[in-house]
C-alpha cells in the first residue's frame, strides 16, 4: 500500500474543532449539502471578497515558536531606570504559573454571572481593598486600562459632578507624567475642557472657570510635594483635586485620602506585572464615597445569596454604558481583570510588611546612589524623593556621553531637557546595580568610584509630616498567605469557584469566547517580550518593531484598509480612536460643524458613549421589525442632518446576528451626505476571509483582538482594540508625546505608544499558525456551528432574526420573552444553565428577555450537542411550569443554581428531587461543576454597597451569630 507523506502537525486542526465527519452530520441537520452552500445562503454575494487572503503560509506550533524566538531575540532587554510610571519588578513564580499561565484564570469571562465567578470576584475585592487602603480613599473600582486612562476618566467624572455652572478649566501640574498629559489633551479637547498646565505652587484656582485640578505624587521628575495646602485651597474654590500616586511609595508616604484628595489614580504595574513594552497593566481609580454612583469602570461589591451567605457581584451595573448609552459617564466597558488579579495577589503574597520593606530598600538605595553621585560632583536637584533622582549635568555633551556609556553597559536612563538625567530605582535594584550606575558617571567624568556600602538605617526624605503613620492592608487576607503553600492553596480555592473555558463552552453572543491556544500564550512570559520599558530607545526593540509591522500588514489585508494603529488597548478605546480620526479628518477640511453621529438603536452601548466623548451629537436610527437598520429612517436622518453629518456607526454583521443585505447602500448613502462610516468590529470574526470592512464601504473599523484574534478575556480584561482606516484617515491615527508613532501628530488614546504590546504576540501567533485559508475556514465553521445550534434549538426557542434564506451569521438571538406568561424570566434560564455546567449566553442584549448565542469555531459537535441538550432539557422544565405540573414560584428554575450545601440539607422540602436539581442530565454526573453560592440578591448589594474586604469585626459578629444559632433557643 503506498504511503503519502504530508504535514501531520497542523495547527488549524487544533483551533477549528469540528472534524470532517462532524461537519457532514451538522450540514445534514441544517439541511444543506456543503459548507460552501451554507456560506452562499448566509453572506450576501455583493460583499464577498474577490480573492483569498494574501497571508504567509501557516506554520506549525513548533515552527512558529522557533521563528518567534528569533524575532523576540532582536529585542535588547536593558536594565531600565527610566521610570515615568513603569518599573522593573518580579512576578512571583507561584503567581505566574498558577494565574497568568493558567487557563482556569485567563479563559474566564467577565463576571456578569456572579454565582460561577466567585473566585475572580474575591480576587478583585482584594485588589480594590489594596487600592483603598494604600490611597486612603473610600471606594475603588476593579481597575481601568492604564494610568493615563484613569486620569482622563477622573477629569470627565469631576467635570460632570461640578456644581460650578459653566466651569470648563482643569489645572494640571507640569509634574504629571508626560504620557498622562498627552492623553488628557486628547480627551479634553472634544468635550470643551481647557487644560491649564503649570506649577501647582503658583496656580490660581479662583474664579468660576476651574472645576478640577490634578497633581502627581511623587512628581514625574521624582520630587515629593506636600499637597495638603494646595488641596485645601482648591476646595475653598469648589475645585476637585485628583492625585496620581505611586502605590509602592504610598507604603511610606501619607495617603492622598489623608491629604484631602477627591480622587486618586495610578498604575499597579510595579506590583509584580512585567513592563511588557507598555502593557497591559491595571490602572487604579479610587475616590470619595460621594462619587460611587458615577465612578467609571467596574465596581465589585458584596451582597448575599438566596441562603443568606456572603457573595460577591458586579455592583451598580446601571452605571454602565450598555444601559445608559449616550448618557453614560464613560465608554469603558472592560477592565484589566487578569492584571488586577496579579497585582492584588502580589499584595496578598507579600503582605504589608514585605511591601513596605521593598519601598524602604528602594528608597535606601536611591539615597546611596545620590550620595555616590554627590561624591563624584554630580548635582542632584530633588530635595525630597522616593525612588527617583533628578540630575543636572554640566552640558548637553555630557548628557550624550552619559547616554552612550550607559547604553554600552546595558542601562537605560531618562534623558530630558538638554542637561537633565532621571534615575528611577525599583524593587529589583540591588547594591551592585547602584555601583554600575556610579561607574557610568565615573567613566564619563574620569573619576574613580568607590564601591557603595549598604546603609543600615535611613530617614525618609519627604516634607515634614508626610511620613505615613496610618495602617494599611490589615485584613487577614493580606497577612495569611505568605508561605508558598498557603498562597498556592488560596489561589486554587478561588480558581475552583470559577467556570472557564477549561470546563465547558461559553456561548456568549458578541463576546466570542474561542480557543486561546497554549502555543499562542507561551511567548507572553518571555523576558524578551515582558522586560522592555515602553520608552526604551526604539533601536532596542527591533523584535517588537517586526511584530508591529507584520501584524499591521496582516490586519490591513484582513480588513482591506490602508493603515492600522495598534495603540488602543480596548474595544472602547478603539471606538474612540476611530471617531477621533473621523473628527480630525473633518476639522482638517474646515468642517468643524460636522458633529452628528447616526447610531442604530441596536448598536453596542459603547457606540453612543464613545460618540459623546468624541464631542459628537448622537442621533438614533430606527430598526425594522426584522432587526435590520431602517434604511428609510436612515435616509431621513441623513437628509435632516446633511450639513452636520459626521459619521454613521454600524456593527457588521448586525448586533442581531444577521448580514444585512443593504449594507453597501447604507454606506454609500452616508458618503453621499459627506459623512464617514465607522464599523464596530465586534463581529469581525464573521467577516475574516469572506468579506471585509473596506469591501462593505466602511472607512474605519476597530478590531477586538480579544475576540476575533484570540487574546483571552482574562475574566474581564485585558483587551486590545486596534483600528484600521482608509488612506485619507491615516494621518489622524493616534500619536504619542513621548515616543513618536510613525510620525503622527494626533494625541494618544492610551498611555503606552503601542498600547498593550506584550499580548500582541498572541494574535501574531494565531494568524501565523492559521494562515489565510485557516482564518477563512475559522469564519466558515463559526457560521456552521451557529446554524447547527439554530437548527437544533429553533423548535424549542424561537430565533428572533435571520437572513433572507433563514440563516443566522455566527450568532443568534433566542427569544425567551413568551416564557414570562408562566413566570419564567430569561435570568432563570441563565441561572439554571449553571446546574448543567454551562455559562449562560449573553442575557438581554441587544433585546431584553433574550439569549444571544455564539458557539465559535473552536467548539466540537460533541460540545455543541451537550449545550443543546441542556437547553432542550431546560425548555422541558419550563413546559412543566407552563402546564401547571410545576409550581410557578417553587420550581427548579427559580431556585437555580443549586449548590452542594443546598442539596445536602437533612430535610429536603422542595417539590422536585435533589437529583433533578444537580444532575438534570446523565452527562452532568461525569464532570459536575458546583456553583459556590446560590442565586445572588443584586438589589441587596446595591442598597448596601461594600466594595472592599469584609472588616474583621464583621467576621467576629457573624461567628457570634453562628454560636448563638448552634446553641439553640434553650440557651
Amino acid at each position: 500500500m503506498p504511503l503519502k507523506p504530508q504535514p501531520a502537525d497542523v495547527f488549524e486542526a487544533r483551533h477549528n474543532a469540528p472534524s470532517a465527519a462532524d461537519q457532514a452530520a451538522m450540514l445534514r441537520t441544517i439541511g444543506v449539502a456543503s459548507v460552501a452552500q451554507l456560506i452562499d445562503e448566509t453572506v450576501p454575494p455583493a460583499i464577498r471578497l474577490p480573492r483569498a487572503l494574501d497571508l504567509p503560509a501557516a506554520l506549525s506550533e513548533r515552527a512558529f515558536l522557533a521563528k518567534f524566538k528569533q524575532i523576540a531575540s532582536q529585542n535588547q532587554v536593558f536594565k531600565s531606570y527610566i521610570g515615568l510610571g513603569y518599573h522593573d519588578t518580579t512576578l512571583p513564580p507561584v503567581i505566574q504559573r498558577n494565574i497568568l499561565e493558567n487557563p482556569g484564570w485567563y479563559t474566564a469571562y467577565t463576571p456578569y454571572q456572579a454565582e460561577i465567578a466567585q473566585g475572580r470576584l474575591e480576587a478583585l475585592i482584594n485588589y480594590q481593598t489594596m487600592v483603598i487602603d494604600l490611597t486612603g480613599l473610600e471606594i475603588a473600582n476593579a481597575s481601568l486600562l492604564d494610568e493615563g486612562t484613569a486620569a482622563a476618566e477622573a477629569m470627565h467624572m469631576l467635570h460632570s459632578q461640578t456644581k460650578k455652572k459653566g466651569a470648563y478649566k482643569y489645572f494640571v501640574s507640569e509634574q504629571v507624567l508626560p504620557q498622562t498629559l498627552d492623553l488628557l489633551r486628547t480627551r479634553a479637547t472634544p468635550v470643551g475642557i481647557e487644560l491649564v498646565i503649570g506649577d501647582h505652587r503658583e496656580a490660581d484656582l479662583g474664579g468660576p472657570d476651574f472645576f478640577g485640578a490634578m497633581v502627581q505624587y511623587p512628581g514625574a521628575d521624582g520630587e515629593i510635594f506636600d499637597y495638603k495646602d494646595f488641596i485645601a485651597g482648591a476646595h475653598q474654590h469648589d475645585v476637585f483635586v485628583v492625585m496620581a500616586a505611586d502605590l509602592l511609595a504610598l507604603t511610606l508616604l501619607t495617603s492622598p485620602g489623608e491629604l484631602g484628595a477627591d480622587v486618586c489614580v495610578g498604575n499597579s504595574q510595579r506590583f509584580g506585572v512585567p513592563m511588557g513594552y507598555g502593557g497591559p497593566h491595571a490602572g487604579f481609580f479610587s475616590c470619595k464615597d460621594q462619587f460611587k454612583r458615577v465612578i467609571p469602570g467596574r465596581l465589585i461589591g458584596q451582597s448575599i445569596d438566596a441562603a443568606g451567605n456572603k457573595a460577591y457581584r458586579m455592583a451598580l451595573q446601571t452605571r454602565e454604558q450598555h444601559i445608559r448609552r449616550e448618557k453614560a459617564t464613560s465608554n469603558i466597558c472592560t477592565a484589566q481583570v487578569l492584571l488586577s488579579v496579579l497585582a492584588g495577589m502580589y499584595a496578598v503574597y507579600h503582605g504589608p510588611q514585605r511591601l513596605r520593606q521593598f519601598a524602604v530598600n528602594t528608597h535606601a538605595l536611591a539615597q546611596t546612589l545620590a550620595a555616590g553621585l554627590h561624591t563624584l560632583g554630580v548635582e542632584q536637584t530633588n530635595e525630597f524623593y522616593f525612588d527617583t533622582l533628578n540630575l543636572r549635568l554640566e552640558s548637553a555633551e555630557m548628557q550624550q556621553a552619559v547616554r552612550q556609556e550607559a547604553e554600552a553597559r546595558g542601562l537605560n536612563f531618562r534623558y530630558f531637557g538638554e542637561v537633565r538625567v532621571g534615575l528611577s530605582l525599583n524593587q529589583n535594584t540591588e547594591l551592585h546595580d547602584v555601583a554600575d550606575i556610579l561607574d557610568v558617571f565615573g567613566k564619563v567624568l574620569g573619576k574613580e568610584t568607590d564601591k557603595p556600602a549598604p546603609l543600615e538605617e535611613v530617614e525618609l526624605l519627604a516634607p515634614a509630616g508626610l511620613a505615613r503613620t496610618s495602617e494599611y492592608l490589615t485584613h487577614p487576607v493580606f497577612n495569611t498567605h505568605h508561605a508558598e503553600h498557603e498562597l498556592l492553596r488560596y489561589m486554587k480555592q478561588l480558581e475552583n469557584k470559577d467556570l472557564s473555558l477549561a470546563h465547558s463552552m461559553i456561548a456568549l453572543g458578541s463576546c466570542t469566547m474561542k480557543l486561546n491556544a497554549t502555543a499562542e500564550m507561551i511567548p507572553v512570559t518571555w523576558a524578551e517580550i515582558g522586560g522592555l520599558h515602553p520608552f526604551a530607545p526604539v533601536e532596542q526593540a527591533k523584535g517588537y518593531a517586526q511584530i508591529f509591522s507584520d501584524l499591521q500588514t496582516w490586519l490591513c489585508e484582513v480588513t482591506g484598509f490602508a493603515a492600522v494603529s495598534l495603540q488602543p488597548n480596548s474595544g472602547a478605546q478603539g471606538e474612540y480612536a476611530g471617531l477621533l480620526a473621523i473628527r480630525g479628518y473633518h476639522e482638517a477640511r474646515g468642517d468643524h460643524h460636522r458633529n452628528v453621529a447616526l447610531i442604530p438603536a441596536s448598536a453596542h452601548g459603547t457606540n453612543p458613549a464613545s460618540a459623546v466623548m468624541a464631542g459628537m451629537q448622537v442621533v438614533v436610527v430606527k430598526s425594522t421589525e426584522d432587526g435590520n437598520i431602517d434604511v428609510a429612517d436612515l435616509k431621513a436622518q441623513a437628509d435632516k442632518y446633511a450639513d452636520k453629518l459626521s459619521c454613521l456607526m454600524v456593527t457588521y454583521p448586525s448586533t442581531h446576528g444577521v448580514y444585512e443585505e443593504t449594507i453597501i447602500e447604507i454606506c454609500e448613502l452616508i458618503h453621499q451626505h459627506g459623512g464617514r462610516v465607522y464599523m464596530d468590529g465586534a463581529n469581525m470574526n464573521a467577516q475574516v476571509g469572506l468579506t471585509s470592512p473596506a469591501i462593505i464601504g466602511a472607512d474605519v473599523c476597530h478590531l477586538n483582538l480579544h475576540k476575533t484574534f484570540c487574546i483571552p478575556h482574562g475574566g474581564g480584561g485585558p483587551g486590545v482594540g486596534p483600528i484600521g482606516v482608509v488612506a485619507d484617515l491615516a494621518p489622524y491615527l493616534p500619536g504619542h508625546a513621548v515616543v513618536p508613532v510613525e510620525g503622527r501628530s494626533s494625541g494618544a488614546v492610551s498611555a503606552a505608544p503601542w498600547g498593550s504590546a506584550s499580548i500582541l504576540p498572541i494574535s501574531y501567533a494565531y494568524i501565523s499558525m492559521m494562515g489565510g485559508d485557516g482564518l477563512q475556514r475559522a469564519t466558515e465553521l463559526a457560521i456552521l456551528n451557529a446554524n447547527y445550534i439554530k437548527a437544533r434549538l429553533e423548535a424549542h426557542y424561537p430565533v428572533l432574526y435571520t437572513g433572507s434564506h433563514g440563516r443566522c451569521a455566527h450568532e443568534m438571538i433566542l427569544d425567551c420573552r413568551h416564557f414570562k406568561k408562566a413566570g419564567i424570566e430569561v435570568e432563570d434560564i441563565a441561572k439554571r444553565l449553571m446546574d448543567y455546567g454551562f455559562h449562560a449566553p449573553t442575557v438581554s442584549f441587544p433585546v431584553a428577555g433574550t439569549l444571544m448565542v455564539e458557539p465559535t469555531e473552536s467548539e466540537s459537535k460533541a460540545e455543541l450537542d451537550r449545550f443543546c441538550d441542556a437547553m432542550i432539557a431546560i425548555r422541558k422544565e419550563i413546559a412543566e411550569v407552563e402546564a401547571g405540573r410545576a409550581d410557578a414560584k417553587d420550581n427548579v428554575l427559580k431556585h437555580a443554581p443549586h449548590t452542594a450545601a443546598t442539596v445536602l440539607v437533612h430535610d429536603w422540602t422542595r417539590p422536585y428531587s435533589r437529583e433533578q436539581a444537580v444532575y438534570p442530565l446523565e452527562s452532568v454526573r461525569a464532570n459536575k461543576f458546583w456553583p459556590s453560592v446560590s442565586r445572588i440578591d443584586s438589589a441587596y448589594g446595591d442598597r448596601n454597597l461594600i466594595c472592599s474586604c469584609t472588616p474583621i469585626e464583621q467576621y467576629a459578629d457573624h461567628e457570634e451569630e453562628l454560636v448563638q444559632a448552634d446553641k439553640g433557643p434553650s440557651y
Side-chain angles (χ1 to χ4, degrees), residues 247-524:
L247 285 182
L248 192 65
L250 293 183
T251 64
L252 300 179
L253 298 176
T254 301
S255 71
E258 292 170 289
L259 294 175
D262 300 287
V263 180
C264 183
V265 300
N267 188 346
S268 58
Q269 177 269 318
R270 74 186 307 171
F271 274 29
V273 182
M275 290 183 289
Y277 208 42
H281 305 132
F284 65 81
F285 188 113
S286 61
C287 58
K288 292 180 176 177
D289 184 74
Q290 72 190 77
F291 302 113
K292 66 186 176 186
R293 300 283 166 178
V294 292
I295 183 174
R298 292 172 180 157
L299 189 67
I300 309 306
Q302 181 179 308
S303 187
I304 57 173
D305 72 357
N309 299 311
K310 180 183 74 175
Y312 300 115
R313 59 178 286 270
M314 287 170 57
L316 303 179
Q317 290 185 43
T318 54
R319 300 171 305 112
E320 291 210 354
Q321 68 298 111
H322 283 298
I323 298 168
R324 300 195 66 196
R325 299 174 69 81
E326 68 270 20
K327 295 181 181 178
T329 57
S330 168
N331 76 331
I332 297 296
C333 70
T334 188
Q336 297 283 21
V337 169
L338 189 63
L339 296 313
S340 306
V341 169
L342 293 178
M345 210 60 73
Y346 183 89
V348 168
Y349 190 36
H350 289 305
Q353 288 79 22
R354 201 181 299 166
L355 289 178
R356 188 176 190 278
Q357 196 61 57
F358 283 150
V360 169
N361 294 349
T362 303
H363 184 56
L365 287 173
Q367 290 196 31
T368 302
L369 177 57
L373 290 167
H374 178 75
T375 300
L376 290 171
V378 178
E379 182 184 5
Q380 198 285 120
T381 61
N382 285 340
E383 179 183 4
F384 303 113
Y385 58 86
F386 166 58
D387 61 2
T388 300
L389 308 181
N390 185 349
L391 311 183
R392 180 160 52 206
L393 305 184
E394 296 175 359
S395 66
E397 290 76 17
M398 184 177 174
Q399 185 196 63
Q400 186 60 28
V402 167
R403 179 168 188 162
Q404 290 176 355
E405 183 62 27
E407 291 180 3
R409 295 169 181 256
L411 307 177
N412 282 330
F413 304 158
R414 180 190 174 207
Y415 306 96
F416 57 109
E418 291 189 351
V419 296
R420 292 285 184 172
V421 175
L423 295 168
S424 294
L425 306 190
N426 53 71
Q427 49 268 57
N428 281 356
T429 305
E430 298 182 15
L431 196 61
H432 67 81
D433 296 312
V434 172
D436 291 342
I437 296 170
L438 291 173
D439 284 346
V440 169
F441 289 90
K443 180 70 178 293
V444 170
L445 294 168
K447 296 180 180 180
E448 291 291 328
T449 56
D450 296 326
K451 184 177 180 180
L455 298 175
E456 294 187 4
E457 191 172 276
V458 295
E459 291 293 329
L460 178 66
L461 290 179
L466 279 194
R468 183 157 192 156
T469 58
S470 58
E471 293 185 317
Y472 49 87
L473 305 186
T474 57
H475 191 273
V477 74
F478 299 108
N479 295 277
T480 305
H481 310 291
H482 299 164
E484 182 165 325
H485 257 150
E486 292 301 316
L487 183 72
L488 179 65
R489 290 165 183 158
Y490 177 60
M491 291 188 298
K492 191 64 180 178
Q493 173 194 347
L494 297 187
E495 180 193 344
N496 289 343
K497 295 180 179 181
D498 284 12
L499 187 141
S500 70
L501 284 175
H503 297 92
S504 58
M505 70 181 288
I506 301 178
L508 284 155
S510 189
C511 291
T512 319
M513 298 292 292
K514 63 167 69 181
L515 171 70
N516 315 121
T518 305
E520 296 161 3
M521 301 296 295
I522 284 174
V524 171

Side-chain angles (χ1 to χ4, degrees), residues 519-651:
E520 296 161 3
M521 301 296 295
I522 284 174
V524 171
T525 54
W526 289 353
E528 302 95 318
I529 298 299
L532 274 71
H533 192 288
F535 304 151
V538 292
E539 57 267 21
Q540 295 173 17
K542 292 180 179 177
Y544 263 119
Q546 182 175 341
I547 294 167
F548 299 155
S549 177
D550 288 347
L551 197 51
Q552 286 168 327
T553 298
W554 299 343
L555 293 178
C556 282
E557 172 64 14
V558 166
T559 60
F561 285 138
V564 166
S565 169
L566 300 172
Q567 188 180 114
N569 54 5
S570 79
Q573 295 295 77
E575 286 181 15
Y576 181 63
L579 292 173
L580 288 185
I582 293 173
R583 174 188 169 92
Y585 165 82
H586 286 310
E587 292 194 340
R589 292 161 56 90
D591 291 340
H592 301 275
H593 57 284
R594 287 193 174 271
N595 67 343
V596 168
L598 302 181
I599 302 179
S602 62
H604 288 86
T606 53
N607 288 182
S610 294
V612 169
M613 283 176 50
M616 296 182 182
Q617 175 189 346
V618 174
V619 174
V620 177
V621 178
K622 297 176 183 177
S623 296
T624 62
E625 289 186 3
D626 59 4
N628 294 329
I629 293 174
D630 186 328
V631 178
D633 186 56
L634 176 67
K635 188 177 188 309
Q637 300 292 2
D639 288 341
K640 180 178 180 180
Y641 296 100
D643 292 338
K644 298 179 65 179
L645 181 60
S646 173
C647 63
L648 166 73
M649 299 186 76
V650 61
T651 301

Side-chain angles (χ1 to χ4, degrees), residues 602 627-628 651-660 683 810-811 852:
S602 62
N628 294 329
T651 301
Y652 201 79
S654 74
T655 310
H656 293 149
V658 176
Y659 292 89
E660 296 186 48
N683 294 337
H810 62 304
E811 59 190 0
M852 192 178 190

